[in-house]
Structures are given as C-alpha cells and as structure tokens.
Amino acid sequence: MTSATGTTATTATIGAVGTAHTRVEGVAKVTGAARYAGEVAYPELAHGWLVLSTVARGRIRAVESAPVLGMPGVLAVLHHENAPRLNGGYMNAFGVPDPIAQLFQHERVPFVGWPVALVVAETPEQAREAAEALVVQYDEEPHDVVFSAGLPGTYTPESAPAAQKGDVEAELTASAVVVDAEYSTPEEHHSPMEPHAATARWDGGRLEVIDSNQGSRFVADELAKLFSLDPESVRVRSEHVGGGFGSKGTRPHSVAAAMAATVLHRPVRVVLTRRQMFSLVGYRSPTAQWVRLGADADGRLRAFEHRAECLTSTVHEFVERCSEYGRAMYDSEAHHFESRVVPLDVPTPSWMRAPGEAPGSFALESALDELAEKCGIDPIALRARNEPDVGPVSGLPFSSRNLLACFEEGARRFGWADRDPRPGIRREGRWLLGTGTAASTFPTLSAPSTAAVTAEPDGTYTVRITASDVGTGARTALTLIAADALEVAPERIRMRIADSDFGFAMIAGGSMGTRSWAWAIRVAAGELRERLALGGGIPPEGITARSDTSQAVGALTQKERHAFGAQFAEVAVDVSSGEVRVRRMLGIFAAGRIVNPLTARGQFVGGMIWGLSMALHEEAVRDRASGGHVGADLAGYHFAAHADVPPIEADWVDDPDPDDPVGIKGIGEIGVVGAAAAIANAVWHATGVRHRNLPIRPDRVLSAGAGADRDAGPGGDGDRDA
C-alpha cells in the first residue's frame, strides 16, 4: 500500500489485533478533558428536574404548579395538562416501545416513581428545590407489588414461546437419578458510575442532544418518532459514557430535555439522581425457577427441564428469559424450557448485563452440581459426559464450541484435581473452605451496521461509525481493528464514534457491538484500500469508502453461535457469624478472537465481580404498603465493595469464530454468567448446605446451619446434602 506521498509505507504495523493497547481516550479521561453528557456547557443553559409519583397506582387529580412557578429561577412546570403531545404509536427495533419515554401524556400512574412533572429552572439547585416543593394530588388505587411463584395472571408470553423436544415426564420416570429443585433470584439494579444525563437544544432547525446512551442513532430515531420529526432533523451524540449495562436506551431524561428545550427555546439539561434511576432505567426482575434433571446412574442426562417465572409492569412487557440459558448447553433425550411472566404495579424491568443468562445460569449450574453429587461424579466430568455435538434442541451445528477446553485449562490452573469432593471437610480455624465450578455461555449475535473510512492527505485515516463506548474499551478495540484492516499503525487511526449523523450501527448491547461494528469497518477499509491501490493521490477532502453490512449479516448460515466459559471459585464460610468470603476466582473463556487483551481482561473480571455481588450481596426489596423500594440508593442497596473482592484471574483459550471477519464473538456479558453458581456450589462444598435462593446472606447461612434439613428455596434456607 502507498502513503499520501505515493511512497511505500514503512511504518505499517500488522497484527495490532491481539496485542495489549491502552485506551486511546485514556489521557482525556484522567485529565478531565473528556466531557460527559452532564458536563457540556451552552449559553443560557436551563436545568430540568423530574418529579416522580409517590403512589403505586392511581390517577393524578391535580398538579399545583402555581406556587412553584413563583419560586426563584423557575421557568416552567411541564405535566400531563400542558406538555407537548408525543407520538407513541410506532414500533422500534425491539418492538412496542416502553411508554415510560412518552412523558406527561395522561393522568394514569402505574407505579411508584412514574414521571409526573418536570420543573425547569435557571440552576439545578433551583430546579431541585422547586421540584421537591411541587404538590401533586392523587386518587390512589389498590396496588400489588409482591412477586412470588404462581401468582394469578401469570402467562406464557408470545415473545418467549416454550421449547420442547421429547417426552420429559417419560424420561424422568426412566431416570435412575433425579434432581427436582426450585431456585430464586431477587430484584437487582444496575447503577452506572455516570448517571443518566442529556442536554438538548435546537440549532438551525435541528434538535441536538448530548446524551449518555448505548446507541446514538437508536435514540435519535426514537426522539424523531416521539416528536414526529424528520429523522434527519435530530442529531444525538454520546462521545463518552460512564457505564450502561443495558440501562441506557431511550429513557425519560433525554425526552424530558428535548421537550423542555422545545417549549422554552433554549438549551436544557436533565440529569437523573441515583434514587430516580431505581424506577426510570430498568432493572433485573426477580425470578422463581424450577429445574428438573433426570439421568442414568452414570450421569448421562435423559430429561432436562427448566421453567422460570418473572414479573413485568402493567404497562409494558419485558421477559427475563432465564429458561433459555440451557438450550445450547447439555445433551439430553428430552428437553422442556418455558418462561412465564406476571404483570404487577412496578416499573418495567429491562436488560441488565447478561439478561436471562445471569439468573438462569445460577439455577441450572447449581442443579448440575446437585446432580453430580447425587451421581457421585465430578462436576466437570458430568458436564463433559453431556457435551452435545450439535444444538441439543435446534439440531444446528456449532460455529465453534470450546467449553471443555475452558474446563480443562481452568481445572489445571485452579488445582481442581486436588479437590476432596466431600463437603464440609476442609477447615481453617473458624472458617469452612470449599470450591465450586460452573459453566458459562452467552449467544453470539451480529447486527447490520454502517461505517465510513476516510484516507486523509496527511497519511492518517478517519473512521466514522455510530458505535458506543460505554466504558468497555470499544473505541480502542475498533482502532486496532481498523489499523489491521488498513495495514497501518494504530497511531494513524482517528476513531470518531457515537454521532447519529454517521449512520445506522448496532447499539452497545447483547455483547454484539464490537463484532457488528468491526465487520462494517473492515468492509469499508477493504474498499478504501482497493481505491487507493488505483493511485492518483489523495485530494484535500480525502477519499472516503462506506459500508453497509445488512446483506452480509443476513446471509449468515444458521448455526448455534455462542461464547463459552468455565468459572471456578473458592470460598470461606464462618458458620458462627454467617459470613461468606470469596477467596479467589478464576474464569477461562472461549469468546472468539480477543482484540485487546488489556481491556478484555477488565471486561471478564468486571463481569465476574458482578457475579460475586449477585451471589452474596444484591437484593432490592419493595415495601408492600407503599409499593416503593426500601433503600432506593447506593446506601441502602448492598453490592460488593473493594473489600469483598478477592484476587480474580480471567483468561481465554483460542476460539476464533470462522464466520466473523475478525473472528470476534463478544465478551461484555459472559463474565457474569455462571459466577454466582460457582460461588453457591463452593458454599455447598464448604458447608454441606445448598443455597437455592440468592443472595447467600449471613442470616440465611445461620438459619441453614440451625435447620439443615430445610430447603434453600424461597420458603427455606438450606438443604444439607451430607
């Protein structure tokens, strides 16, 4: 290839992908030069503060805005009687949109924390004071917020139909060993370091929004539909995002900012508080799950059933698809998977890192450990014995499947061969010690995306793509991918992302962002290289090649595409205090080609910490009387702190995906999957007591020790297996 001067490039670095590279935006972030959505300044910037409902169900009788409008600095109070009308009658890429984004369109209140008004003032302090002073009168109605298994009104949603193969009941009857157990997980919340924020203004007839989101083009399209605007008249940018985890789609903060900017004809910023995030940005639904496994005496599965129930709101359906976790995991003569949902007077759950797979893996991987114990087989050997050649239910071939390689390498590094399988044997002073393992999987998906790559006259290259770096290091990974595709050093790549004007691209979600974006960048880079090979020099405006991977993604053959992993944990349990301490964790993953080992390891370890927090700490509790949370903030919602996190190792085996141009699979979520089960299995190994409901709190450990014959499901605490 030639440089801008027409001479052969001598500084090209081939093989950037796979080498450790510090974040290209790292200096900007640590020096404060990187600006987030809540930090962009505009002249005459006003500030909005959302007012949320204090009742769980009912109607707004009156919004007493007159006294508030007389307070210092207050510019407007928007509510259902004076807010601009929005269009809610459309479909987005995920189906019917969540009506929580359709702000102030009616007087109905479906849950505590529903937005009922927006107070806008000259300063955020004035807006907050006025919002807290605003009186809203309600006609309250009876509500129901308590989730439990088998509630009236529970149904099987059309969006998540049951899957079945063979006769589960007949195979269970014919099985020598049966596990039939109920598991539960609580409501959990994601709270990114950067709160949800948006700054909106009108400029030259265009609505411009600086937003904290996971997909700028998606949010721009949503705003255009909501406000009945030409899509080209809306621009959304989200250059720096301090965490998303599934929560940063089109949320009320961006709609409120755009609405207020439209009404006031000046820029408006809306930032959510931590407490507001507990009702406005989604969460993981609590689950009740049932696993039935039937096996021959040697542990070979004959029957495999996983049923799950979760909740949703009364205004929008969301399904936590726990039962789908195992569809591609283990071979069996018969399978049955079913997810059911019940609407309650609560906020709508949403995607939270590894949706479905995180709670689903806890139940299934715990049940597999129970089966291994009953059969007298090592847990890893049991999984190997039930390894499928093709998709157990679909019958489709795997793109690649290296789960056993993960277990083999993990067992070697963890010292699994030295493990005494008997529970309650190892002791260190007052601590009982145990080890556990579990498998991980997460689907590998691709979505159409567009990209543009420009060869600049100075010998650099500019990549434009509406990707989103939510803190994962995607900007750096894409830089390395572009460098390899163009056969130049990464320093010659200028990566511009997160601007809706760059065209459609997949959101940062489902662990498919980098995979989808990389594909589009490689296609555009390949076309650009072909054009540059024709010679003729580079004009001042550069030479640009564009790509659209819609046809290529659509042409993918049907296969079972998944990342896999093996999780290992060692715990210490003090049965006199109930304290559980994780001493070490190891995760080995088969997750495609690793683009940047430095940031990839951070993603895996971060996910495993989530799993630790899920196993031992996280549990949001609702007050039956008010319908709201008990402790809806980071003081009342308990999660793992630094002192709770032990040394954690994460590594990977070679596992390129032959159907992907870069060999990528996706790594953002699989680290969470299976981690909680590995810890729960280790607690059993330490104590001989099974814990089937999360989190494994000290009081549950104590009550399990006092009544070891009781089940560790929702109605009990422990089941002594030894």
Side-chain angles (χ1 to χ4, degrees):
M1 131 162 229
T2 58
S3 68
T5 61
T7 59
T8 301
T10 58
T11 58
T13 300
I14 311 303
V17 170
T19 61
H21 200 291
T22 57
R23 294 173 183 262
V24 296
E25 83 285 8
V27 172
K29 284 184 173 178
V30 298
T31 60
R35 294 187 303 171
Y36 292 80
E39 299 174 327
V40 178
Y42 288 116
E44 297 187 322
L45 178 66
H47 300 266
W49 202 278
L50 282 168
V51 179
L52 308 185
S53 70
T54 57
V55 303
R57 183 175 177 178
R59 294 179 179 273
I60 302 170
R61 185 168 68 249
V63 179
E64 299 180 5
S65 58
V68 168
L69 288 169
M71 294 179 68
V74 174
L75 302 170
V77 178
L78 300 178
H79 50 85
H80 70 282
E81 293 180 341
N82 64 1
R85 297 298 90 186
L86 300 177
N87 168 36
Y90 66 90
M91 302 285 282
N92 61 31
F94 304 102
V96 177
D98 188 340
I100 196 166
Q102 299 158 31
L103 291 179
F104 317 138
Q105 300 300 291
H106 53 76
E107 77 282 7
R108 289 291 309 168
V109 173
F111 53 77
V112 169
W114 178 262
V116 296
L118 177 74
V119 177
V120 188
E122 297 286 356
T123 69
E125 293 81 8
Q126 291 171 332
R128 178 171 189 166
E129 182 180 8
E132 292 174 349
L134 182 67
V135 174
V136 180
Q137 298 181 7
Y138 303 93
D139 291 323
E140 194 169 356
E141 300 171 5
H143 63 263
D144 185 3
V145 300
V146 179
F147 172 77
S148 62
L151 287 174
T154 303
Y155 65 93
T156 301
E158 294 182 5
S159 62
Q164 181 146 353
K165 184 188 80 171
D167 188 334
V168 168
E169 298 300 333
E171 297 296 339
L172 282 169
T173 301
S175 296
V177 182
V178 173
V179 169
D180 185 346
E182 180 179 351
Y183 303 84
S184 71
T185 61
E187 180 178 322
E188 300 167 358
H189 285 259
H190 33 25
S191 290
M193 183 177 294
E194 177 207 15
H196 296 61
T199 304
R201 67 167 183 166
W202 284 90
D203 182 36
R206 296 189 80 194
L207 176 62
E208 292 198 348
V209 181
I210 309 296
D211 185 33
S212 178
N213 65 51
Q214 294 178 227
S216 293
R217 185 57 184 257
F218 177 79
V219 173
D221 289 344
E222 289 278 288
L223 292 175
K225 291 171 182 174
L226 282 167
F227 288 91
S228 300
L229 299 171
D230 184 332
E232 298 304 313
S233 67
V234 181
R235 182 187 187 191
V236 175
R237 289 176 289 162
S238 188
E239 185 176 358
H240 296 288
V241 180
F245 313 115
S247 72
K248 287 184 175 176
T250 305
R251 292 299 177 182
H253 67 284
S254 55
V255 180
M259 181 180 285
T262 301
V263 170
L264 295 175
H265 306 289
R266 61 187 289 185
V268 177
R269 175 181 298 153
V270 177
V271 180
L272 300 186
T273 68
R274 291 288 178 196
R275 293 188 66 86
Q276 290 173 343
M277 287 163 57
F278 273 77
S279 64
L280 296 181
V281 303
Y283 57 97
R284 201 190 306 281
S285 167
T287 72
Q289 303 180 57
W290 297 265
V291 178
R292 293 197 297 171
L293 302 175
D296 294 334
D298 65 355
R300 196 171 304 277
L301 285 170
R302 300 180 64 96
F304 175 6
E305 180 179 64
H306 190 176
R307 295 178 292 114
E309 292 182 4
C310 66
L311 60 74
T312 190
S313 71
T314 60
V315 294
H316 188 65
E317 180 185 275
F318 183 86
V319 184
E320 187 74 22
R321 301 166 183 253
C322 304
S323 67
E324 296 184 11
Y325 163 78
R327 290 192 185 191
M329 286 301 287
Y330 304 111
D331 212 356
S332 178
E333 295 297 321
H335 293 82
H336 178 227
F337 308 101
E338 184 176 10
S339 294
R340 290 168 60 78
V341 64
V342 61
L344 296 173
D345 301 312
V346 296
T348 307
S350 187
W351 296 279
M352 180 170 167
R353 199 173 188 180
E357 276 76 12
S361 65
F362 163 67
L364 178 54
E365 295 298 322
S366 295
L368 260 291
D369 202 69
E370 297 196 40
L371 181 64
E373 190 272 331
K374 286 192 173 186
C375 292
I377 299 173
D378 180 83
I380 297 177
L382 177 72
R383 289 166 172 83
R385 191 157 297 171
N386 293 285
E387 179 75 358
D389 295 323
V390 296
V393 178
S394 69
L396 295 173
F398 288 96
S399 61
S400 65
R401 183 183 174 98
N402 287 306
L403 175 60
L404 295 186
C406 294
F407 272 114
E408 181 180 350
E409 176 65 11
R412 182 188 67 80
R413 291 175 56 168
F414 196 74
W416 188 260
D418 299 329
R419 178 184 192 255
D420 187 329
R422 296 173 299 169
I425 298 299
R426 291 177 61 201
R427 180 180 289 273
E428 187 180 280
R430 73 177 194 272
W431 299 96
L432 292 172
L433 307 183
T435 53
T437 190
S440 305
T441 189
F442 199 81
T444 298
L445 304 171
S446 302
S449 296
T450 61
V453 182
T454 301
E456 306 289 358
D458 62 0
T460 63
Y461 296 84
T462 302
V463 179
R464 294 176 177 85
I465 185 167
T466 314
S468 178
D469 189 336
V470 293
T472 58
R475 182 189 275 101
T476 306
L478 296 179
T479 298
L480 303 182
I481 289 164
D484 274 10
L486 294 165
E487 296 188 357
V488 300
E491 290 72 24
R492 290 173 63 184
I493 303 297
R494 182 183 300 107
M495 186 63 57
R496 297 188 59 194
I497 65 171
D499 187 331
S500 64
D501 278 359
F502 295 161
F504 175 78
M506 177 59 196
I507 65 170
S511 293
M512 58 177 149
T514 300
R515 175 181 167 99
S516 302
W517 306 324
W519 198 330
I521 289 172
R522 280 186 64 89
V523 171
E527 181 183 330
L528 179 62
R529 289 185 64 196
E530 290 180 4
R531 291 173 60 180
L532 291 174
L534 299 175
I538 299 177
E541 67 275 13
I543 298 176
T544 299
R546 304 180 187 278
S547 66
D548 184 337
T549 62
S550 298
Q551 289 187 344
V553 171
L556 281 170
T557 57
Q558 283 196 313
K559 292 183 180 180
E560 290 279 4
R561 293 183 171 86
H562 302 265
F564 294 97
Q567 302 266 15
F568 296 82
E570 180 179 18
V571 304
V573 183
D574 182 349
V575 293
S576 63
S577 68
E579 182 180 6
V580 177
R581 282 281 174 183
V582 179
R583 292 221 169 158
R584 59 188 176 113
M585 294 181 73
L586 169 67
I588 303 293
F589 302 95
R593 190 179 183 192
I594 301 302
V595 177
N596 184 359
L598 186 63
T599 53
R601 186 168 279 105
Q603 284 295 292
F604 288 135
V605 170
M608 293 168 70
I609 293 171
W610 273 57
L612 183 158
S613 193
M614 175 183 180
L616 302 181
H617 302 289
E618 298 192 40
E619 183 178 24
V621 178
R622 289 193 175 273
D623 175 50
R624 184 189 297 264
S626 69
H629 281 111
V630 177
D633 51 41
L634 298 188
Y637 180 74
H638 192 199
F639 57 91
H642 285 292
D644 300 304
V645 179
I648 295 179
E649 290 185 77
D651 213 334
W652 45 86
V653 299
D654 191 43
D655 182 50
D657 186 342
D659 296 324
D660 182 84
V662 187
I664 294 172
K665 281 190 173 181
I667 63 174
E669 290 162 286
I670 192 171
V672 186
V673 183
I679 292 170
N681 293 338
V683 171
W684 167 79
H685 187 234
T687 64
V689 177
R690 292 282 179 191
H691 286 267
R692 300 192 185 104
N693 60 324
L694 296 183
I696 305 174
R697 301 188 314 245
D699 63 304
R700 288 174 172 163
V701 174
L702 290 174
S703 61
D709 58 335
R710 289 183 295 172
D711 193 5
D717 297 292
D719 178 20
R720 182 171 291 279
D721 291 334

